[in-house]
């Protein structure tokens, strides 16, 4: 029966809807209590009034019950609703109908329940058994809890009886526990020195600091009254007072040694590559991201003040020390650990103070270590610094220092970031208590050290320049004989040592071992140890990689300027301020270097020009070989060109001061131009008057005429390179005739005194040397000017070969330089024209007196067989000039001087016939012999037959005839000479021969001569016209 009741309850719980208020009021949101208060809905009110509900409403109520049964899960609500319906209904029929519906629903429920029981019998049985076991466990637990409560009440009563005794025992337990803690702490503190020593040895400084600070606080706190710990207290307190010095030293080692060790080891690793048995693994360093790109850390934020954070991505509070790892494996974290340990020691002010005080000392040690490293690398390359002056090593030293200083600045930026975090942190110091340094101060200290280094290497105090000779010119000599250039030299055997011990295995191993030991010493301690380096240059207690001198600035200027620009761009970007290093560099160059260069150049040029005879002091053969010239140059010109080239090199090396060097070039060239002008005048000027050749060369009309002739224009081109022309000989003959006519017309028939010619061949040689030197200098100047950049030199889109390293040069300087080059070329041309004319003036000097003062009306004797003394002297002069010019002038210029000389001599001799008083056959024969010896000499010089002298010889041979035969000869052979020359020949024959008639007869012959010449001219013109018509 109980089981059936359970089944019935379960079934009824599924069918019966929950109690709920009237649906009409429920849809309006009114609860059960409110509905009863309000009197219910309209149907309920109707039922209370005794009226039955309408049938349709009854049907709808039946549907509502079924819906409620299907939707509701709570049977109590449905039962209450049925009871309310039955109790409020006044009609028996309604109640019966309701009852019938309920019975029908119960029967259907019983039927459904039986079917479900049959279907789920096994599951139902299992559920009932499980429910029974759970019920039993709950009952058992309730009994046990009841028993526990009874026991607790009993214990409470017992404890209440012994409360005082328990309180006493509790207090004693607390006291004993505190004593044990103190004993444990004392035991732990007694082990602090040993642990501290181990931590300091392994460089776990943060752990050591925590341990030491905690121990000292305990000893000075709750263990203060323990007398047995007084010695330990003093010991640990002393260690705490000195520990910050160790941390500061370690911090500086990472700031200045560890941070730069990778930079210092790059070249060493390269040199050691391939050496067996060498461990070249680098030491733990700063992260390469902070120093590989040395410009990366140079941003504006680092100069915003002392509060700039350099390591924003690393929080100092998050840095922990791993006892299992090497603390120096990461230098950035290690420096953070050091700063954190110093902060716990409350020694940040001392740290900042020590860092500021040791700036210069540490940076100077970097300079010393770098100097030794460069010397070691040079020694490994086989270079001996103490014996060779190599400014390149200074450049290597500065580049190494720049990289190291970048790394030091990066490390300082990291430390400043940590210090800033400690200063502004809530647990750190107050920012007003200490003023941190900033990156601007770091770079200022670096610049100060570099300034001291540059002061020593650039010899600003001028300690070495006064004692050492200038080595500006590498190939300038004091002068030597020009013949040394052509002298046959004995071949020199190279002096090669048979053997030397320095390359033996023992020497190499010992040298490498000693240097390796020294390198390891200073890489660990940061100090230079192992004695003086034998591969460095001693100088006043300081060691140098090269000799100090002002010229060292040329090698380091551009790298130093880039370093300065990077500093200024980071410190004062866009403000236009200059850093102290730039001010020092500018002051040094303007106030010292430029003056030193000016003095050196003046000294070199004056040594070559301020001599007794500068035009006769030639450069040495070695110098000419170096310059690649074939003819000797003046020593002064070589010195001036070398000085100019030196200034040009300085202009490239110090491009920011190109205008100053160019102005210096202009001044020196102008001074040398004046020197050359004075030297030229000293040769060609006699008694404050120019000699004839110099005055003709200076005359614009004569010089313009001579430079317009083909032989001048052809001089620039070798004969083999000139295009062949059919009428070349005619053009040459016409040019020679034009030149001879002009010179003869200018001179007239006056005699030339000896002081109007250059009798000393050395003067002519000096002019030749001056010409070659000035022309070479002008060519070098033009080549230099071509490479000068100007504002108008390179328009956009045009490719040029102009050097862009030099800033654009002003047009005024370029114009001045071009004018100077043009002046040198004009002076060189004037010297060549003077030589060309001087040889011809010599011919006038000797040959005009031959006709005017010579006696050729001689009889046949031994005297008549000798050459005329004037001709002999002329030949000697020509030979001497040829010997001097062949070694002093280039071949085409040499040919220019002597080509056409035969035509001029021929003209002088033919024209001189009018000055002979009389001439005999012996005189004619002597004259022909004179012409022959002159022709032979000129042929040996020009290496071509001088046909013009044949023309002169035929003219005098024509005088063997009498006047009438001469006229017939003209008719038979044609007109070869001019009318005046024929008239002079007739006049000479008339004066020389007897029985040829009086003056009237002579006039008739002259008239007949003119008619013959006119007839010959007419015939020649007709023949020419006929040829043209035929063509």
């Amino acid at each position: 029966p109980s089981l059936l009741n359970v089944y019935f309850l379960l079934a009824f719980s599924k069918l019966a809807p929950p109690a709920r208020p009237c649906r009409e009021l429920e849809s309006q949101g009114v609860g059960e209590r409110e509905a009863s208060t309000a009197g219910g809905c309209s149907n309920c009110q109707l039922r209370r009034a005794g009226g039955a509900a309408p049938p349709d409403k009854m049907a709808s109520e039946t549907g509502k019950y079924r819906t409620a049964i299907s939707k509701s899960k709570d049977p109590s609500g449905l039962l209450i609703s049925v009871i309310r319906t039955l109790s409020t209904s006044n009609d028996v029929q309604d109640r019966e109908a309701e009852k019938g519906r309920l019975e029908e629903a119960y029967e259907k429920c019983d039927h459904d329940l039986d079917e479900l029981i049959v279907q789920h019998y096994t599951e139902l049985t299992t559920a009932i058994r499980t429910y029974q076991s759970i019920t039993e466990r709950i009952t058992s637990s309730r009994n046990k809890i009841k028993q526990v409560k009874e026991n607790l009440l009993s214990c409470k009563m017992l404890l209440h009886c012994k409360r005082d005794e328990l309180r006493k025992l509790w207090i004693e337990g607390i006291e004993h526990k505190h004593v044990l803690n103190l004993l444990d702490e004392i035991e732990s503190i007694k082990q602090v020195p040993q642990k501290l020593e181990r931590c300091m040895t392994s460089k776990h400084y943060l752990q050591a600091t925590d341990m030491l600070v905690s121990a000292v606080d305990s000893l000075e706190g709750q263990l203060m009254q323990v007398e047995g710990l007084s010695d330990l207290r003093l010991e640990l307190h002393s260690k705490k007072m000195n520990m910050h010095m160790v941390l500061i030293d370690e911090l500086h080692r990472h700031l200045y040694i560890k941070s730069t060790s990778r930079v210092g080891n790059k070249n060493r690793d390269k040199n050691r590559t391939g050496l067996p048995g060498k461990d070249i693994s680098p030491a733990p360093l700063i992260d390469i991201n902070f120093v590989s790109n040395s410009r990366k850390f140079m941003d504006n934020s680092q100069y915003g003040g002392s509060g700039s954070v350099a390591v924003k991505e690393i929080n100092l509070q998050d840095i922990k020390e791993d006892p299992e790892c090497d603390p120096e494996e990461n230098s950035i974290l290690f420096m953070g650990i050091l700063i954190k340990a110093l902060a716990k020691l409350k020694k940040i002010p001392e740290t900042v103070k020590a860092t500021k005080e040791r700036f210069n000392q540490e940076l100077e040690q970097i300079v010393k270590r770098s100097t030794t490293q460069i010397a070691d690398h040079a020694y490994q390359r086989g270079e001996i610094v103490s014996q060779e002056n190599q400014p390149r090593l200074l450049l290597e030293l500065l580049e190494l220092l720049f990289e190291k200083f970048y790394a030091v600045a990066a490390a300082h930026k990291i430390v400043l970031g940590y210090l800033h975090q400690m200063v502004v942190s809530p647990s750190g110091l107050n920012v007003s208590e200490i003023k941190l340094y900033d990156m601007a101060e770091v770079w200022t200290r670096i610049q100060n050290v570099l300034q001291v280094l540059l002061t020593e290497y650039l010899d600003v105090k001028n300690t070495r320049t006064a004692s050492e000779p200038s080595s500006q010119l590498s190939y300038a000599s004091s002068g030597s004989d020009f013949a040394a250039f052509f002298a046959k030299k004995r071949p020199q055997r190279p002096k090669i040592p048979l053997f030397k011990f320095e390359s033996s295995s023992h020497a190499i191993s010992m040298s490498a071992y000693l240097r390796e030991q020294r390198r390891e010493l200073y890489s660990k301690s940061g100090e230079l140890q192992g004695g003086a380096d034998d591969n460095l240059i001693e100088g006043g207690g300081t060691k140098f990689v090269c000799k100090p001198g002002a010229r060292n600035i040329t090698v380091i200027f551009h790298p130093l300027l880039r370093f300065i620009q990077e500093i200024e761009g980071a410190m004062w970007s866009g403000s236009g301020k200059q850093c102290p290093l730039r001010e020092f560099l500018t002051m040094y160059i303007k106030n010292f270097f430029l003056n030193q260069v000016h003095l050196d150049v003046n000294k070199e040029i004056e040594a070559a020009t301020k001599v007794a005879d500068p035009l006769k002091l030639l450069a040495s053969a070695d110098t000419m070989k170096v310059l690649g010239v074939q003819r000797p140059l003046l020593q002064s010109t070589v010195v001036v060109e070398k000085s100019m080239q030196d200034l040009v090199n300085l202009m490239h090396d110090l491009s920011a001061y190109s205008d100053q060097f160019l102005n210096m070039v202009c001044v020196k060239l102008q001074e040398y131009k004046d020197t050359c002008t004075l030297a030229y005048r000293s040769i060609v000027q006699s008694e404050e008057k120019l000699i004839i050749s110099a005055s003709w060369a200076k005359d614009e009309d004569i010089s313009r005429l001579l430079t317009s002739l083909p032989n001048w224009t052809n001089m620039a081109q070798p004969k083999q390179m000139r295009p062949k022309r059919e009428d070349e000989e005619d053009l040459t003959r016409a040019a020679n005739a034009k030149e001879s006519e002009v010179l003869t017309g200018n001179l007239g028939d006056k005699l030339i005194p000896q002081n109007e010619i250059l009798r000393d061949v050395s003067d002519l040689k000096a002019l030749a040397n001056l010409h070659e030197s000035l022309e070479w200098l002008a060519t070098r100047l033009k080549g230099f000017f071509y490479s000068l950049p100007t504002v108008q030199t390179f328009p956009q889109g045009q490719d040029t070969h102009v050097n862009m390293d030099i800033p654009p040069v002003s047009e005024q300087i370029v114009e001045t330089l071009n004018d100077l080059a043009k002046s040198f070329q004009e002076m060189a041309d004037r010297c060549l024209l003077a030589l060309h004319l001087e040889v011809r003036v010599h011919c006038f000097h000797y040959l005009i007196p031959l006709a005017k003062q010579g006696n050729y009306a001689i009889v046949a004797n031994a005297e008549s067989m000798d050459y005329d003394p004037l001709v002999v002297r002329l030949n000697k002069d020509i030979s001497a000039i040829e010997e001097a010019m062949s070694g002093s002038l280039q071949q085409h210029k040499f040919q220019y001087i002597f080509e056409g000389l035969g035509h001029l001599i021929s003209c002088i001799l033919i024209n001189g016939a009018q000055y002979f008083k009389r001439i005999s056959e012996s005189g004619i024969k002597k004259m022909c012999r004179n012409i022959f010896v002159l022709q032979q000499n000129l042929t040996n010089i020009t290496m071509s037959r001088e046909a013009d002298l044949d023309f002169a010889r035929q003219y005098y041979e024509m005088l063997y005839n009498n006047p009438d035969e001469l006229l017939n000869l003209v008719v038979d052979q044609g007109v070869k000479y001019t009318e005046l020359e024929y008239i002079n020949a007739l006049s000479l024959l008339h004066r020389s021969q007897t029985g040829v008639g009086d003056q009237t007869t002579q006039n008739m012959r002259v008239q007949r001569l003119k008619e013959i010449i006119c007839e010959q001219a007419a015939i020649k013109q007709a023949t020419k016209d006929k040829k043209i018509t035929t063509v």
Side-chain angles (χ1 to χ4, degrees), residues 57-102:
K57 288 191 174 183
M58 292 297 293
S60 64
E61 290 295 332
T62 304
K64 290 177 181 178
Y65 287 128
R66 291 172 181 169
T67 304
I69 291 173
S70 62
K71 293 182 179 180
S72 176
K73 301 290 183 177
D74 188 7
S76 60
L78 179 60
L79 181 61
I80 293 173
S81 176
V82 171
I83 294 173
R84 186 185 296 115
T85 303
L86 294 177
S87 62
T88 57
S89 176
N90 297 325
D91 191 354
V92 178
Q93 186 177 358
D94 292 340
R95 289 194 292 272
E96 290 296 329
E98 185 70 23
K99 180 181 177 182
R101 287 194 300 274
L102 288 174

Coordinates of all heavy atoms in Angstrom, one line a residue, residues 57-102:
K57 N -17.7 28.5 -21.1 CA -16.7 28.8 -20.1 C -16.3 27.5 -19.4 O -15.1 27.4 -19.0 CB -17.1 29.8 -19.1 CG -17.2 31.2 -19.7 CD -17.4 32.3 -18.6 CE -17.3 33.7 -19.2 NZ -17.4 34.7 -18.2
M58 N -17.2 26.6 -19.1 CA -16.9 25.4 -18.5 C -16.0 24.6 -19.3 O -15.0 24.0 -18.9 CB -18.2 24.6 -18.2 CG -19.1 25.2 -17.1 SD -18.3 25.3 -15.5 CE -18.2 23.6 -15.1
A59 N -16.3 24.6 -20.6 CA -15.4 23.8 -21.5 C -14.0 24.4 -21.6 O -13.0 23.7 -21.6 CB -16.0 23.8 -22.9
S60 N -14.0 25.8 -21.5 CA -12.7 26.4 -21.5 C -11.9 26.1 -20.2 O -10.7 26.0 -20.2 CB -12.8 27.9 -21.8 OG -13.5 28.5 -20.7
E61 N -12.6 26.0 -19.1 CA -12.0 25.7 -17.9 C -11.4 24.3 -17.9 O -10.3 24.0 -17.4 CB -13.0 25.8 -16.7 CG -13.5 27.2 -16.4 CD -12.3 28.0 -15.8 OE1 -11.4 27.4 -15.3 OE2 -12.3 29.2 -16.0
T62 N -12.1 23.3 -18.6 CA -11.6 22.0 -18.7 C -10.3 22.0 -19.5 O -9.3 21.3 -19.1 CB -12.6 21.1 -19.4 OG1 -13.9 21.1 -18.6 CG2 -12.2 19.6 -19.4
G63 N -10.3 22.8 -20.6 CA -9.1 22.9 -21.4 C -7.9 23.5 -20.6 O -6.8 23.1 -20.7
K64 N -8.3 24.4 -19.7 CA -7.3 25.1 -18.9 C -6.6 24.1 -17.9 O -5.4 24.2 -17.7 CB -7.9 26.3 -18.1 CG -8.2 27.5 -19.0 CD -8.9 28.6 -18.2 CE -9.3 29.7 -19.1 NZ -10.0 30.8 -18.4
Y65 N -7.5 23.2 -17.3 CA -6.9 22.3 -16.4 C -6.0 21.4 -17.1 O -4.9 21.0 -16.6 CB -8.0 21.4 -15.8 CG -8.8 22.2 -14.7 CD1 -10.2 22.3 -14.7 CD2 -8.1 22.9 -13.7 CE1 -10.9 23.0 -13.8 CE2 -8.8 23.6 -12.7 CZ -10.2 23.6 -12.8 OH -10.9 24.3 -11.8
R66 N -6.4 20.9 -18.3 CA -5.5 20.0 -19.1 C -4.2 20.7 -19.5 O -3.1 20.1 -19.4 CB -6.2 19.5 -20.3 CG -7.4 18.5 -20.0 CD -8.2 18.2 -21.2 NE -9.3 17.3 -20.9 CZ -10.3 17.0 -21.7 NH1 -10.3 17.5 -22.9 NH2 -11.2 16.2 -21.3
T67 N -4.4 22.0 -19.9 CA -3.2 22.7 -20.2 C -2.3 22.9 -19.0 O -1.0 22.8 -19.1 CB -3.5 24.1 -20.8 OG1 -4.4 23.9 -21.9 CG2 -2.3 24.8 -21.3
A68 N -2.9 23.2 -17.9 CA -2.1 23.4 -16.7 C -1.4 22.1 -16.3 O -0.3 22.1 -15.8 CB -3.0 23.9 -15.6
I69 N -2.2 20.9 -16.5 CA -1.6 19.7 -16.1 C -0.3 19.4 -17.0 O 0.7 18.9 -16.5 CB -2.6 18.5 -16.3 CG1 -3.7 18.7 -15.2 CG2 -2.0 17.2 -16.2 CD1 -4.9 17.7 -15.3
S70 N -0.5 19.8 -18.3 CA 0.6 19.5 -19.2 C 1.8 20.4 -19.0 O 3.0 20.1 -19.2 CB 0.2 19.5 -20.6 OG -0.2 20.9 -20.9
K71 N 1.6 21.6 -18.6 CA 2.6 22.6 -18.4 C 3.2 22.7 -17.1 O 4.4 23.0 -16.9 CB 2.1 24.0 -18.8 CG 1.8 24.1 -20.3 CD 1.3 25.5 -20.7 CE 1.0 25.7 -22.1 NZ 0.5 27.0 -22.5
S72 N 2.4 22.5 -16.1 CA 2.9 22.8 -14.7 C 3.7 21.6 -14.2 O 3.4 20.4 -14.5 CB 1.7 23.1 -13.8 OG 2.2 23.2 -12.5
K73 N 4.6 21.8 -13.3 CA 5.4 20.8 -12.7 C 5.0 20.7 -11.2 O 5.4 19.7 -10.5 CB 6.9 21.1 -12.8 CG 7.4 21.3 -14.2 CD 7.5 19.9 -14.9 CE 8.0 20.1 -16.3 NZ 8.2 18.8 -17.0
D74 N 4.3 21.6 -10.7 CA 3.9 21.7 -9.3 C 2.5 21.2 -9.1 O 1.6 21.9 -9.5 CB 4.1 23.1 -8.7 CG 4.0 23.1 -7.2 OD1 3.8 22.0 -6.6 OD2 4.0 24.2 -6.6
P75 N 2.2 20.0 -8.5 CA 0.8 19.5 -8.3 C 0.0 20.2 -7.3 O -1.2 20.2 -7.3 CB 1.0 18.0 -8.0 CG 2.3 18.0 -7.3 CD 3.2 19.0 -8.0
S76 N 0.7 20.9 -6.3 CA -0.1 21.6 -5.3 C -0.9 22.7 -5.8 O -2.0 23.0 -5.3 CB 0.9 22.0 -4.2 OG 1.9 23.0 -4.8
G77 N -0.4 23.4 -6.8 CA -1.1 24.5 -7.3 C -2.4 24.1 -8.0 O -3.4 24.7 -7.9
L78 N -2.3 23.0 -8.7 CA -3.5 22.4 -9.4 C -4.5 22.0 -8.4 O -5.7 22.2 -8.6 CB -3.1 21.3 -10.4 CG -4.2 20.6 -11.1 CD1 -4.9 21.6 -12.0 CD2 -3.6 19.5 -12.0
L79 N -4.1 21.3 -7.4 CA -5.0 20.8 -6.4 C -5.7 22.0 -5.7 O -6.9 21.9 -5.5 CB -4.2 20.0 -5.3 CG -5.1 19.3 -4.2 CD1 -6.1 18.4 -4.8 CD2 -4.2 18.6 -3.2
I80 N -5.0 23.0 -5.3 CA -5.6 24.1 -4.7 C -6.6 24.8 -5.6 O -7.7 25.2 -5.2 CB -4.5 25.1 -4.2 CG1 -3.7 24.5 -3.1 CG2 -5.1 26.5 -3.8 CD1 -2.5 25.4 -2.8
S81 N -6.3 24.8 -6.9 CA -7.2 25.4 -7.9 C -8.5 24.6 -8.0 O -9.6 25.2 -8.1 CB -6.5 25.5 -9.3 OG -7.4 26.0 -10.2
V82 N -8.3 23.3 -8.0 CA -9.6 22.4 -8.0 C -10.4 22.6 -6.8 O -11.6 22.7 -6.9 CB -9.1 20.9 -8.2 CG1 -10.3 20.0 -8.1 CG2 -8.5 20.8 -9.6
I83 N -9.7 22.7 -5.6 CA -10.4 22.8 -4.4 C -11.1 24.2 -4.4 O -12.3 24.3 -4.0 CB -9.5 22.7 -3.2 CG1 -9.0 21.2 -3.1 CG2 -10.2 23.1 -1.9 CD1 -7.9 21.0 -2.1
R84 N -10.5 25.2 -4.9 CA -11.1 26.5 -4.9 C -12.3 26.5 -5.9 O -13.3 27.1 -5.6 CB -10.1 27.5 -5.4 CG -10.6 29.0 -5.3 CD -9.7 30.0 -5.9 NE -8.4 30.0 -5.1 CZ -7.3 29.7 -5.6 NH1 -7.1 29.3 -6.8 NH2 -6.2 29.8 -4.8
T85 N -12.1 25.8 -7.0 CA -13.3 25.8 -7.9 C -14.5 25.0 -7.3 O -15.6 25.5 -7.4 CB -12.8 25.0 -9.2 OG1 -11.7 25.7 -9.8 CG2 -13.9 25.0 -10.2
L86 N -14.2 23.9 -6.6 CA -15.3 23.2 -6.0 C -15.9 23.9 -4.9 O -17.1 23.9 -4.6 CB -14.8 21.8 -5.5 CG -14.3 20.8 -6.7 CD1 -13.7 19.6 -6.1 CD2 -15.4 20.5 -7.6
S87 N -15.1 24.6 -4.1 CA -15.6 25.3 -3.0 C -16.4 26.6 -3.3 O -17.3 27.0 -2.6 CB -14.5 25.7 -2.0 OG -13.5 26.6 -2.6
T88 N -16.0 27.2 -4.4 CA -16.7 28.4 -4.8 C -17.9 28.1 -5.7 O -18.6 29.1 -6.1 CB -15.7 29.3 -5.5 OG1 -15.1 28.6 -6.7 CG2 -14.6 29.8 -4.6
S89 N -18.0 26.9 -6.2 CA -19.2 26.6 -7.1 C -20.4 26.3 -6.2 O -20.4 25.5 -5.3 CB -18.8 25.4 -7.9 OG -19.9 25.0 -8.7
N90 N -21.5 26.9 -6.5 CA -22.8 26.8 -5.8 C -23.7 25.7 -6.5 O -24.7 25.3 -5.9 CB -23.5 28.1 -5.8 CG -22.7 29.1 -5.0 OD1 -22.1 28.7 -4.0 ND2 -22.8 30.4 -5.3
D91 N -23.3 25.3 -7.6 CA -24.1 24.3 -8.4 C -23.6 22.9 -8.2 O -22.3 22.7 -8.4 CB -24.1 24.7 -9.9 CG -25.1 24.0 -10.7 OD1 -25.8 23.1 -10.1 OD2 -25.2 24.2 -11.9
V92 N -24.4 22.0 -7.8 CA -24.0 20.6 -7.6 C -23.5 20.0 -8.9 O -22.6 19.2 -8.9 CB -25.1 19.8 -6.9 CG1 -24.8 18.3 -6.7 CG2 -25.5 20.4 -5.6
Q93 N -24.2 20.4 -9.9 CA -23.9 19.8 -11.2 C -22.5 20.2 -11.6 O -21.7 19.3 -12.2 CB -24.9 20.3 -12.3 CG -24.7 19.7 -13.6 CD -25.8 20.2 -14.7 OE1 -26.6 21.0 -14.3 NE2 -25.7 19.6 -15.9
D94 N -22.1 21.4 -11.3 CA -20.7 21.7 -11.7 C -19.7 20.9 -10.9 O -18.7 20.5 -11.4 CB -20.5 23.2 -11.4 CG -21.3 24.1 -12.4 OD1 -21.7 23.6 -13.4 OD2 -21.5 25.3 -12.1
R95 N -20.1 20.7 -9.6 CA -19.2 19.9 -8.8 C -19.1 18.5 -9.3 O -18.0 17.9 -9.3 CB -19.6 20.0 -7.4 CG -19.3 21.4 -6.7 CD -19.4 21.3 -5.2 NE -20.8 21.0 -4.8 CZ -21.6 22.0 -4.5 NH1 -21.3 23.3 -4.7 NH2 -22.9 21.7 -4.1
E96 N -20.2 18.0 -9.7 CA -20.2 16.6 -10.2 C -19.4 16.5 -11.5 O -18.7 15.5 -11.7 CB -21.7 16.1 -10.4 CG -22.5 15.9 -9.2 CD -21.9 14.8 -8.3 OE1 -21.3 13.8 -8.9 OE2 -22.0 14.9 -7.0
A97 N -19.6 17.5 -12.3 CA -18.9 17.5 -13.6 C -17.4 17.6 -13.3 O -16.6 16.9 -13.9 CB -19.3 18.6 -14.5
E98 N -17.1 18.4 -12.4 CA -15.7 18.5 -12.0 C -15.1 17.3 -11.4 O -14.0 16.8 -11.7 CB -15.5 19.7 -11.0 CG -14.1 20.0 -10.7 CD -13.3 20.7 -11.8 OE1 -14.0 21.2 -12.7 OE2 -12.1 20.6 -11.9
K99 N -15.9 16.6 -10.6 CA -15.5 15.4 -10.0 C -15.3 14.3 -11.1 O -14.4 13.5 -11.0 CB -16.6 14.9 -9.0 CG -16.3 13.6 -8.3 CD -17.4 13.2 -7.4 CE -17.2 11.8 -6.7 NZ -18.3 11.5 -5.8
G100 N -16.3 14.3 -12.1 CA -16.1 13.3 -13.1 C -14.8 13.5 -13.9 O -14.2 12.6 -14.3
R101 N -14.6 14.7 -14.2 CA -13.3 15.0 -14.9 C -12.1 14.6 -14.1 O -11.2 14.0 -14.7 CB -13.2 16.5 -15.2 CG -14.2 17.0 -16.3 CD -13.7 18.4 -16.8 NE -13.8 19.4 -15.7 CZ -14.8 20.1 -15.4 NH1 -16.0 19.9 -16.0 NH2 -14.8 21.0 -14.4
L102 N -12.1 14.8 -12.8 CA -11.0 14.4 -12.0 C -10.9 12.9 -12.0 O -9.8 12.3 -12.1 CB -11.2 14.9 -10.5 CG -10.9 16.4 -10.3 CD1 -11.3 16.8 -8.9 CD2 -9.5 16.7 -10.7

